[in-house]
Amino acid sequence: MIYSDPVMKMKKQLQASLCLLLTTVIWGAAFIAQRVGMDYIGPFTFQTVRCTLAALFLFPVIFLFDRDKKAYFRQWKKPKLWKTGLICGAALFVASGLQQVGIQYTTAGKAGFITAMYIVLVPVLGLFLGRHVSPAAWIGVGLATAGLYLLSCAGVSKLNRGDVLLFGCALAFAVQITLIDRLAVDLDSLRLNCIQSLVCALLSAAVMAVSETFRWDVVLRCWLPLCYAGILSMGVAYSLQIIGQRHLNPTAASLIMSMESVFAALFGWLLLRETMTAPELAGCVLVFAAVILSQLPERLFRQKKHG
């Protein structure tokens, strides 16, 4: 989105950055919810229930937030909204499905790092689409990658099947972030997230039907992680992602969202009593520095170069 007023642009970018930062806090805690939920049910059962809860939560929320109640149903009839929701929902299904399955075969730390590799893949995809990536963004990507390694993978080098699945997950998330950036600028964020959640739920249910057994009594045992992952992570955080990405380029947005791993580590310490080593603390510092660097105006670097 283009603004003629530089002050208004900076204000919107700050609001968008805070929006995405809140998103990463929610996602960081959701990583723990996903791990706990997998102790009870299969990955696609978890995905089906999670995404269904998100859609059920968003329908009434959208009605409450609509100023024109008479236009509530008319707003759902836009073809571009459904087309974008179907495309982004399919990408989200691939990404979240690979993540949920991959978590079973690798450690939580490695899963967080490999998933967050979308910060490297987003600018790479942008290059293929003809998008300019600033030197500051590339430096930020390098810092964030090093930081996430220290945070999640220091001392661990062996790859397994879960790691490979999570690399696929990172690529799918990079595609989803790029799609949101290119297709969702003028669309209602809550409605788009509701549709992509429904698409993800339906696709997950189809896989669940042929690979897992659905049991209500088992699902109810993990109602808390499901509600958190569905309502807060999927319903609230993914909506905030769409809103935040409207005012930031995808590279900067992906760098902010990569802080999900930092918050996952912090919540692991708070909720699971996991301790952080010196390399992990250093990783937090590097990721935070990368996020700050990604938000600096490119003209500062041009001035330094010619000054």
Side-chain angles (χ1 to χ4, degrees):
M1 188 173 293
I2 300 175
Y3 296 96
S4 57
D5 185 358
V7 176
M8 177 61 70
K9 180 180 179 180
M10 290 184 64
K11 182 179 179 181
K12 289 294 183 181
Q13 288 179 339
L14 177 60
Q15 292 174 345
S17 298
L18 292 174
C19 218
L20 290 180
L21 186 61
L22 177 58
T23 298
T24 64
V25 174
I26 296 172
W27 282 347
F31 203 86
I32 296 175
Q34 288 176 259
R35 293 285 298 179
V36 173
M38 292 295 291
D39 293 335
Y40 298 89
I41 55 180
F44 289 100
T45 300
F46 189 94
Q47 279 297 109
T48 301
V49 178
R50 174 193 187 184
C51 295
T52 301
L53 286 173
L56 292 175
F57 165 76
L58 286 168
F59 273 119
V61 168
I62 293 168
F63 182 78
L64 291 174
F65 275 83
D66 271 357
R67 295 180 179 178
D68 186 359
K69 305 301 182 186
K70 296 180 180 179
Y72 175 78
F73 293 102
R74 188 167 64 249
Q75 293 294 324
W76 287 101
K77 297 180 181 179
K78 295 181 178 180
K80 184 180 178 181
L81 176 68
W82 284 93
K83 180 180 178 180
T84 303
L86 288 171
I87 295 172
C88 294
L92 182 62
F93 161 73
V94 174
S96 57
L98 288 173
Q99 183 187 64
Q100 203 67 41
V101 175
I103 287 174
Q104 298 177 104
Y105 304 104
T106 191
T107 65
K110 289 180 73 175
F113 169 74
I114 297 171
T115 298
M117 287 299 294
Y118 59 71
I119 67 171
V120 178
L121 298 174
V122 165
V124 171
L125 290 178
L127 289 176
F128 285 105
L129 297 172
R131 180 182 292 274
H132 168 70
V133 180
S134 69
W138 281 117
I139 295 171
V141 166
L143 286 175
T145 302
L148 288 168
Y149 176 82
L150 290 174
L151 179 66
S152 305
C153 284
V156 182
S157 59
K158 183 180 179 181
L159 290 175
N160 58 34
R161 180 167 62 170
D163 300 333
V164 176
L165 292 172
L166 287 163
F167 273 120
C169 158
L171 177 59
F173 271 127
V175 171
Q176 192 256 0
I177 290 171
T178 303
L179 288 171
I180 291 292
D181 174 69
R182 295 181 67 87
L183 302 177
V185 174
D186 57 344
L187 297 176
D188 181 85
S189 302
L190 294 178
R191 282 183 170 83
L192 177 58
N193 190 29
C194 186
I195 293 172
Q196 75 169 0
S197 297
L198 282 173
V199 172
C200 191
L202 291 172
L203 293 174
S204 298
V207 178
M208 178 192 70
V210 298
S211 62
E212 299 172 8
T213 302
F214 183 91
R215 290 179 52 188
W216 274 111
D217 59 326
V218 179
V219 169
L220 291 175
R221 292 179 193 171
C222 61
W223 66 271
L224 184 58
L226 278 170
C227 286
Y228 185 94
I231 296 173
L232 281 177
S233 178
M234 194 80 187
V236 175
Y238 275 94
S239 297
L240 291 175
Q241 177 205 356
I242 297 170
I243 294 171
Q245 278 195 241
R246 286 181 176 178
H247 308 289
L248 293 172
N249 68 68
T251 301
S254 64
L255 281 168
I256 295 174
M257 288 187 284
S258 73
M259 288 192 71
E260 169 191 5
S261 293
V262 177
F263 289 114
L266 291 175
F267 281 117
W269 173 67
L270 290 171
L271 301 178
L272 303 179
R273 303 301 180 187
E274 297 176 347
T275 58
M276 296 185 69
T277 64
E280 289 171 335
L281 290 172
C284 291
V285 173
L286 286 175
V287 172
F288 184 73
V291 172
I292 297 300
L293 181 63
S294 73
Q295 300 306 298
L296 295 178
E298 188 176 353
R299 65 177 181 272
L300 294 179
F301 294 87
R302 290 201 299 267
Q303 289 174 352
K304 183 176 181 181
K305 181 179 178 181
H306 296 291

